[in-house]
mmCIF file of all heavy atoms in Angstrom:
data_model
loop_
_atom_site.group_PDB
_atom_site.id
_atom_site.type_symbol
_atom_site.label_atom_id
_atom_site.label_comp_id
_atom_site.label_asym_id
_atom_site.label_seq_id
_atom_site.Cartn_x
_atom_site.Cartn_y
_atom_site.Cartn_z
ATOM 1 N N VAL L 850 99.897 100.098 107.557
ATOM 2 C CA VAL L 850 101.018 99.823 106.736
ATOM 3 C C VAL L 850 102.372 100.235 107.377
ATOM 4 O O VAL L 850 103.327 99.479 107.474
ATOM 5 C CB VAL L 850 100.914 100.446 105.332
ATOM 6 C CG1 VAL L 850 102.232 100.448 104.529
ATOM 7 C CG2 VAL L 850 99.851 99.895 104.529
ATOM 8 N N ASN L 851 102.299 101.457 107.970
ATOM 9 C CA ASN L 851 103.482 102.013 108.728
ATOM 10 C C ASN L 851 103.852 101.118 109.852
ATOM 11 O O ASN L 851 105.028 100.791 110.128
ATOM 12 C CB ASN L 851 103.192 103.413 109.197
ATOM 13 C CG ASN L 851 104.417 104.016 109.751
ATOM 14 O OD1 ASN L 851 105.364 104.258 109.119
ATOM 15 N ND2 ASN L 851 104.296 104.388 111.042
ATOM 16 N N VAL L 852 102.833 100.644 110.664
ATOM 17 C CA VAL L 852 103.131 99.797 111.766
ATOM 18 C C VAL L 852 103.714 98.453 111.357
ATOM 19 O O VAL L 852 104.622 97.922 112.003
ATOM 20 C CB VAL L 852 101.850 99.530 112.628
ATOM 21 C CG1 VAL L 852 102.038 98.473 113.672
ATOM 22 C CG2 VAL L 852 101.451 100.860 113.286
ATOM 23 N N VAL L 853 103.192 97.853 110.232
ATOM 24 C CA VAL L 853 103.757 96.607 109.761
ATOM 25 C C VAL L 853 105.250 96.782 109.408
ATOM 26 O O VAL L 853 106.141 95.989 109.704
ATOM 27 C CB VAL L 853 102.956 96.099 108.550
ATOM 28 C CG1 VAL L 853 103.673 95.007 107.839
ATOM 29 C CG2 VAL L 853 101.561 95.598 108.934
ATOM 30 N N LEU L 854 105.541 97.832 108.667
ATOM 31 C CA LEU L 854 106.831 98.111 108.208
ATOM 32 C C LEU L 854 107.839 98.338 109.332
ATOM 33 O O LEU L 854 108.919 97.746 109.382
ATOM 34 C CB LEU L 854 106.909 99.294 107.298
ATOM 35 C CG LEU L 854 106.166 99.142 105.939
ATOM 36 C CD1 LEU L 854 106.186 100.441 105.118
ATOM 37 C CD2 LEU L 854 106.846 98.059 105.097
ATOM 38 N N VAL L 855 107.415 99.054 110.347
ATOM 39 C CA VAL L 855 108.255 99.256 111.539
ATOM 40 C C VAL L 855 108.435 98.053 112.344
ATOM 41 O O VAL L 855 109.498 97.646 112.725
ATOM 42 C CB VAL L 855 107.792 100.508 112.404
ATOM 43 C CG1 VAL L 855 108.547 100.594 113.649
ATOM 44 C CG2 VAL L 855 107.818 101.770 111.548
ATOM 45 N N ALA L 856 107.299 97.473 112.651
ATOM 46 C CA ALA L 856 107.322 96.251 113.572
ATOM 47 C C ALA L 856 108.068 95.114 112.929
ATOM 48 O O ALA L 856 108.697 94.271 113.604
ATOM 49 C CB ALA L 856 105.905 95.826 113.865
ATOM 50 N N SER L 857 108.054 94.996 111.580
ATOM 51 C CA SER L 857 108.758 93.853 110.867
ATOM 52 C C SER L 857 110.208 93.945 111.041
ATOM 53 O O SER L 857 110.936 92.942 110.787
ATOM 54 C CB SER L 857 108.299 93.837 109.432
ATOM 55 O OG SER L 857 108.877 94.982 108.674
ATOM 56 N N LEU L 858 110.762 95.136 111.487
ATOM 57 C CA LEU L 858 112.111 95.141 111.657
ATOM 58 C C LEU L 858 112.608 94.516 113.010
ATOM 59 O O LEU L 858 113.752 94.128 113.178
ATOM 60 C CB LEU L 858 112.505 96.697 111.803
ATOM 61 C CG LEU L 858 112.377 97.539 110.527
ATOM 62 C CD1 LEU L 858 112.653 99.057 110.870
ATOM 63 C CD2 LEU L 858 113.304 97.095 109.371
ATOM 64 N N PHE L 859 111.560 94.232 113.754
ATOM 65 C CA PHE L 859 111.901 93.597 115.192
ATOM 66 C C PHE L 859 111.137 92.314 115.326
ATOM 67 O O PHE L 859 111.623 91.465 116.135
ATOM 68 C CB PHE L 859 111.501 94.584 116.314
ATOM 69 C CG PHE L 859 112.061 96.042 116.161
ATOM 70 C CD1 PHE L 859 111.278 96.967 115.533
ATOM 71 C CD2 PHE L 859 113.317 96.227 116.427
ATOM 72 C CE1 PHE L 859 111.833 98.307 115.352
ATOM 73 C CE2 PHE L 859 113.868 97.518 116.315
ATOM 74 C CZ PHE L 859 113.159 98.556 115.734
ATOM 75 N N LYS L 860 109.958 92.098 114.698
ATOM 76 C CA LYS L 860 109.198 90.946 114.913
ATOM 77 C C LYS L 860 108.776 90.289 113.543
ATOM 78 O O LYS L 860 108.682 91.086 112.547
ATOM 79 C CB LYS L 860 107.872 91.250 115.595
ATOM 80 C CG LYS L 860 108.105 91.790 117.038
ATOM 81 C CD LYS L 860 108.603 90.701 117.991
ATOM 82 C CE LYS L 860 108.807 91.239 119.370
ATOM 83 N NZ LYS L 860 109.187 90.198 120.302
ATOM 84 N N PRO L 861 108.583 89.048 113.464
ATOM 85 C CA PRO L 861 108.162 88.392 112.194
ATOM 86 C C PRO L 861 106.766 88.606 111.792
ATOM 87 O O PRO L 861 105.986 87.716 111.825
ATOM 88 C CB PRO L 861 108.588 86.865 112.388
ATOM 89 C CG PRO L 861 108.262 86.784 113.850
ATOM 90 C CD PRO L 861 108.809 88.031 114.552
ATOM 91 N N VAL L 862 106.456 89.898 111.375
ATOM 92 C CA VAL L 862 105.016 90.185 111.058
ATOM 93 C C VAL L 862 104.891 90.720 109.650
ATOM 94 O O VAL L 862 103.809 91.157 109.290
ATOM 95 C CB VAL L 862 104.527 91.361 112.067
ATOM 96 C CG1 VAL L 862 104.423 90.749 113.490
ATOM 97 C CG2 VAL L 862 105.336 92.632 111.974
ATOM 98 N N LEU L 863 106.016 90.638 108.817
ATOM 99 C CA LEU L 863 105.928 91.199 107.511
ATOM 100 C C LEU L 863 104.903 90.404 106.705
ATOM 101 O O LEU L 863 104.242 90.896 105.716
ATOM 102 C CB LEU L 863 107.210 91.184 106.804
ATOM 103 C CG LEU L 863 107.380 91.843 105.406
ATOM 104 C CD1 LEU L 863 107.054 93.369 105.628
ATOM 105 C CD2 LEU L 863 108.739 91.742 104.836
ATOM 106 N N ASN L 864 104.632 89.098 107.045
ATOM 107 C CA ASN L 864 103.678 88.312 106.325
ATOM 108 C C ASN L 864 102.204 88.907 106.349
ATOM 109 O O ASN L 864 101.399 88.608 105.588
ATOM 110 C CB ASN L 864 103.621 86.859 106.798
ATOM 111 C CG ASN L 864 104.871 86.120 106.342
ATOM 112 O OD1 ASN L 864 105.410 86.252 105.259
ATOM 113 N ND2 ASN L 864 105.400 85.247 107.256
ATOM 114 N N ALA L 865 101.974 89.763 107.393
ATOM 115 C CA ALA L 865 100.714 90.384 107.478
ATOM 116 C C ALA L 865 100.514 91.298 106.269
ATOM 117 O O ALA L 865 99.310 91.633 105.922
ATOM 118 C CB ALA L 865 100.542 91.197 108.786
ATOM 119 N N GLY L 866 101.575 91.765 105.662
ATOM 120 C CA GLY L 866 101.497 92.584 104.465
ATOM 121 C C GLY L 866 100.845 91.818 103.307
ATOM 122 O O GLY L 866 100.420 92.619 102.333
ATOM 123 N N VAL L 867 100.788 90.568 103.316
ATOM 124 C CA VAL L 867 100.155 89.856 102.211
ATOM 125 C C VAL L 867 98.777 90.248 102.074
ATOM 126 O O VAL L 867 98.192 90.301 100.973
ATOM 127 C CB VAL L 867 100.252 88.287 102.447
ATOM 128 C CG1 VAL L 867 99.466 87.564 101.502
ATOM 129 C CG2 VAL L 867 101.672 87.864 102.442
ATOM 130 N N VAL L 868 98.099 90.525 103.178
ATOM 131 C CA VAL L 868 96.682 91.065 103.236
ATOM 132 C C VAL L 868 96.612 92.503 103.301
ATOM 133 O O VAL L 868 95.851 93.207 102.527
ATOM 134 C CB VAL L 868 96.021 90.399 104.365
ATOM 135 C CG1 VAL L 868 94.498 91.012 104.418
ATOM 136 C CG2 VAL L 868 95.833 88.909 104.236
ATOM 137 N N LEU L 869 97.490 93.127 104.245
ATOM 138 C CA LEU L 869 97.232 94.554 104.447
ATOM 139 C C LEU L 869 97.732 95.415 103.280
ATOM 140 O O LEU L 869 97.150 96.504 103.085
ATOM 141 C CB LEU L 869 97.911 94.903 105.844
ATOM 142 C CG LEU L 869 97.317 94.325 107.067
ATOM 143 C CD1 LEU L 869 98.107 94.735 108.264
ATOM 144 C CD2 LEU L 869 95.904 94.834 107.158
ATOM 145 N N PHE L 870 98.842 95.059 102.696
ATOM 146 C CA PHE L 870 99.296 95.945 101.620
ATOM 147 C C PHE L 870 98.300 96.049 100.393
ATOM 148 O O PHE L 870 97.944 97.169 100.042
ATOM 149 C CB PHE L 870 100.617 95.449 101.063
ATOM 150 C CG PHE L 870 101.799 95.506 102.018
ATOM 151 C CD1 PHE L 870 102.881 94.777 101.905
ATOM 152 C CD2 PHE L 870 101.703 96.385 103.128
ATOM 153 C CE1 PHE L 870 104.014 94.832 102.885
ATOM 154 C CE2 PHE L 870 102.754 96.514 104.071
ATOM 155 C CZ PHE L 870 103.885 95.671 103.923
ATOM 156 N N PRO L 871 97.826 94.973 99.870
ATOM 157 C CA PRO L 871 96.810 95.016 98.826
ATOM 158 C C PRO L 871 95.560 95.750 99.252
ATOM 159 O O PRO L 871 94.927 96.497 98.521
ATOM 160 C CB PRO L 871 96.520 93.615 98.415
ATOM 161 C CG PRO L 871 97.758 92.902 98.760
ATOM 162 C CD PRO L 871 98.236 93.510 100.026
ATOM 163 N N LEU L 872 95.102 95.393 100.587
ATOM 164 C CA LEU L 872 93.912 96.055 101.085
ATOM 165 C C LEU L 872 94.126 97.609 101.174
ATOM 166 O O LEU L 872 93.202 98.315 100.779
ATOM 167 C CB LEU L 872 93.601 95.500 102.433
ATOM 168 C CG LEU L 872 92.336 96.030 103.133
ATOM 169 C CD1 LEU L 872 91.039 95.734 102.274
ATOM 170 C CD2 LEU L 872 92.132 95.406 104.466
ATOM 171 N N ALA L 873 95.297 98.118 101.596
ATOM 172 C CA ALA L 873 95.577 99.469 101.612
ATOM 173 C C ALA L 873 95.474 100.107 100.239
ATOM 174 O O ALA L 873 94.935 101.203 100.041
ATOM 175 C CB ALA L 873 96.947 99.774 102.214
#
């Protein structure tokens, strides 16, 4: 979750949270 949040500031990876946030 932390990597998604930080990386999404620089790369378009926030959509990965659709799976990773609920899974967490």
